[in-house]
Amino acid sequence: MSEQHISGAIIKRLPRYYRYLEELLTEGVERISSQELSERMGVTASQIRQDLNHFGGFGQQGYGYKVLYLYEEIGKIMGMDRIKRIIMIGAGNLGQAIANYANYRKRGFFIEAIFDKDPDKIGTEVQGIIVRDIETLEEYIKLNPVDIATITIPKEQAVPVADRLVKAGVKGIWNYAHVDLDVPADVCVENVHLSESLMSLSYRIKNQK
Amino acid sequence: MSEQHISGAIIKRLPRYYRYLEELLTEGVERISSQELSERMGVTASQIRQDLNHFGGFGQQGYGYKVLYLYEEIGKIMGMDRIKRIIMIGAGNLGQAIANYANYRKRGFFIEAIFDKDPDKIGTEVQGIIVRDIETLEEYIKLNPVDIATITIPKEQAVPVADRLVKAGVKGIWNYAHVDLDVPADVCVENVHLSESLMSLSYRIKNQK
DNA sequence: TAGATTGTTAATCGATTAACAATC
DNA sequence: TAGATTGTTAATCGATTAACAATC
């Protein structure tokens, strides 16, 4: 039943299940079998049942899964029912693009503050949030709870800033800088290495058929 | 030796090797053993040797690997020595963030055109490139070679646009829309699902320790 | 030559798929 | 009850790690 060790592969699949279930919900589908879902998603029914059973029995024999219930349960597993307070480091194009993602709010993600070191940006507004001086980072974290910090600054600056975040007690980092951050074991880093994604695509196009 | 079937796991690791080798190069390191590299990267030496040998013998027994040579060879494997012509669909924040990545040029990625359907954006410049009307997409592709199309528009629009791209003959899609595109087998799609990455992070923070 | 380190085969580990008894 | 489909165990497959002979 629930919570042995969950592999990274399963964790990465959870949001995708969540997305398909949301889609089914908007289509008004109330129940679905692992077989039907597997056909939609292009995975095996076996994998779906195996994955879900790592977290508990969400289905009913002979019936399948209730879409709404399963959607909500997977949401809870991923923490979508909690508030996650985000601060952003870097108010450049990428930072702004992420900040504009209004959608995040309905999943419990709230962007609370944005920091930059550029004097031209400090004091301006991004998505209704005033950009603060990066020098006031520690002061801010001392006074406000922070669950996740987004890093969208060049890699040279990302390393020292990550150290400051860790020292200040931030436990989650969403890293867009092209560098592997070295953090203690109790800090979670999720990397988004866009250039590596593009290089993988280049490889695959080149070796296509 | 070279080119049996290369698994997705290996392809995803290649850009990371490339990044570490570039770093070694800037540090002036000329040779490195799989053992030393494994310590830097936090993987096993065995995996490094195994991975590299899928593409051929780049090392020398008793010596190790020449950093520059290995860097260049991995670059060639990923197609960094070729020109990849990119068009971008969507001139919003995310599109602009990606376009600003000047760095891509030295890896052979060239952004040739940007398309949008918003009349306020059409005709404006992003990174020195004029934003074109999405209605002129087919016309453009007919006259200009395109290797990769970047999709940074909402998912509802992404699906029909992807169909148009495929029909026009584009073989590589870098997809940022929150949807799985349905394309023929000879078209490569690389997905960047940012919201799924954030949800994975949320899960890991919640279940930390 | 002796020492070091690769290239490659063999062993292990983990993840995916198949099968089926349990049960709604 | 009969049929359908899950939850779960067993079998398979693939990827990672270990070991070592080849060789620079």
Side-chain angles (χ1 to χ4, degrees):
Chain A
M1 198 143 288
S2 121
E3 302 296 310
Q4 323 122 49
H5 176 255
I6 309 295
S7 77
I10 296 175
I11 297 169
K12 291 227 170 297
R13 284 196 291 266
L14 285 178
R16 189 156 179 266
Y17 290 132
Y18 194 65
R19 176 155 55 84
Y20 274 85
L21 289 164
E22 188 180 45
E23 201 176 288
L24 285 164
L25 225 43
T26 65
E27 289 176 22
V29 179
E30 284 181 16
R31 65 162 281 273
I32 195 156
S33 67
S34 57
Q35 179 60 34
E36 289 172 288
L37 188 55
S38 78
E39 283 161 12
R40 280 206 179 219
M41 296 185 63
V43 299
T44 63
S46 216
Q47 180 166 77
I48 292 173
R49 294 204 300 277
Q50 193 75 273
D51 280 355
L52 295 180
N53 274 95
H54 279 98
F55 302 102
F58 300 128
Q60 225 173 307
Q61 278 110 326
Y63 177 85
Y65 299 87
K66 285 196 171 136
V67 175
L68 179 59
Y69 174 68
L70 189 55
Y71 172 77
E72 287 174 343
E73 288 303 309
I74 293 180
K76 282 184 209 163
I77 290 165
M78 298 191 301
M80 297 300 98
D81 57 338
R82 309 174 164 205
I83 287 173
K84 281 82 56 183
R85 293 173 193 84
I86 300 179
I87 61 172
M88 304 194 53
I89 316 296
N93 279 283
L94 191 53
Q96 288 181 40
I98 294 166
N100 281 346
Y101 242 129
N103 235 20
Y104 285 163
R105 296 207 185 92
K106 78 170 179 202
R107 305 270 151 81
F109 297 103
F110 290 85
I111 297 173
E112 303 278 0
I114 304 182
F115 296 87
D116 205 292
K117 69 168 204 180
D118 180 354
D120 290 346
K121 287 193 185 118
I122 295 167
T124 64
E125 277 197 16
V126 171
Q127 281 288 101
I129 303 159
I130 290 169
V131 178
R132 295 166 192 247
D133 188 338
I134 184 74
E135 287 314 311
T136 66
L137 180 65
E138 283 81 1
E139 189 186 324
Y140 177 89
I141 300 177
K142 206 180 285 174
L143 298 173
N144 302 278
V146 173
D147 303 297
I148 295 170
T150 297
I151 295 184
T152 55
I153 54 178
K155 65 167 183 281
E156 298 77 19
Q157 299 157 40
V159 173
V161 165
D163 289 342
R164 288 170 63 186
L165 288 166
V166 168
K167 214 169 171 183
V170 174
K171 298 293 184 205
I173 296 178
W174 202 21
N175 176 44
Y176 285 72
H178 299 169
V179 65
D180 295 327
L181 301 173
D182 188 26
V183 300
D186 68 333
V187 177
C188 299
V189 177
E190 173 83 15
N191 289 305
V192 181
H193 290 323
L194 297 181
S195 61
E196 298 189 7
S197 165
L198 184 55
M199 288 189 220
S200 296
L201 177 59
S202 170
Y203 173 88
R204 285 167 47 217
I205 292 170
K206 175 173 165 252
N207 296 86
Q208 176 61 30
K209 177 133 17 46
Chain B
M1 199 146 286
S2 123
E3 302 296 308
Q4 322 120 50
H5 177 255
I6 308 295
S7 77
I10 296 175
I11 297 168
K12 291 228 169 296
R13 283 197 291 266
L14 286 178
R16 189 157 178 267
Y17 290 132
Y18 195 63
R19 175 155 55 84
Y20 274 85
L21 288 164
E22 188 179 44
E23 201 177 288
L24 285 164
L25 225 43
T26 64
E27 289 176 21
V29 178
E30 283 182 15
R31 66 162 279 272
I32 194 157
S33 67
S34 56
Q35 179 60 34
E36 289 172 288
L37 187 56
S38 77
E39 284 161 12
R40 281 208 178 218
M41 296 185 64
V43 299
T44 64
S46 216
Q47 181 166 76
I48 292 174
R49 294 203 300 277
Q50 192 74 273
D51 280 354
L52 296 180
N53 274 94
H54 279 98
F55 301 100
F58 300 128
Q60 223 172 310
Q61 278 108 325
Y63 176 85
Y65 299 87
K66 285 196 172 139
V67 175
L68 179 59
Y69 175 67
L70 188 55
Y71 173 77
E72 285 174 344
E73 287 304 308
I74 293 182
K76 281 184 210 162
I77 290 165
M78 298 191 301
M80 297 300 99
D81 57 338
R82 308 173 165 206
I83 287 173
K84 283 84 50 186
R85 294 174 193 84
I86 300 179
I87 61 172
M88 304 192 56
I89 316 296
N93 279 283
L94 192 53
Q96 288 182 40
I98 294 165
N100 281 346
Y101 243 130
N103 235 21
Y104 285 163
R105 297 211 183 90
K106 78 170 177 201
R107 304 271 152 78
F109 296 102
F110 290 85
I111 298 173
E112 303 277 0
I114 305 182
F115 296 87
D116 205 292
K117 70 167 204 180
D118 179 356
D120 289 347
K121 287 195 184 115
I122 295 165
T124 63
E125 278 198 15
V126 171
Q127 280 288 100
I129 304 158
I130 290 169
V131 177
R132 297 168 190 246
D133 189 337
I134 184 72
E135 286 316 310
T136 66
L137 179 65
E138 283 80 2
E139 188 185 325
Y140 177 90
I141 300 177
K142 204 179 286 176
L143 298 172
N144 303 277
V146 173
D147 303 296
I148 295 171
T150 297
I151 296 184
T152 56
I153 54 178
K155 66 169 183 281
E156 298 76 20
Q157 298 158 42
V159 173
V161 165
D163 289 342
R164 288 170 64 186
L165 288 166
V166 167
K167 211 167 173 183
V170 174
K171 299 293 185 205
I173 296 178
W174 202 21
N175 176 43
Y176 284 72
H178 300 170
V179 64
D180 295 326
L181 302 173
D182 189 25
V183 300
D186 68 334
V187 177
C188 299
V189 177
E190 173 84 14
N191 288 305
V192 181
H193 290 323
L194 296 183
S195 61
E196 298 190 6
S197 166
L198 184 55
M199 289 189 220
S200 297
L201 178 59
S202 171
Y203 173 88
R204 285 167 48 217
I205 291 171
K206 176 172 164 251
N207 296 87
Q208 176 63 27
K209 177 138 10 49

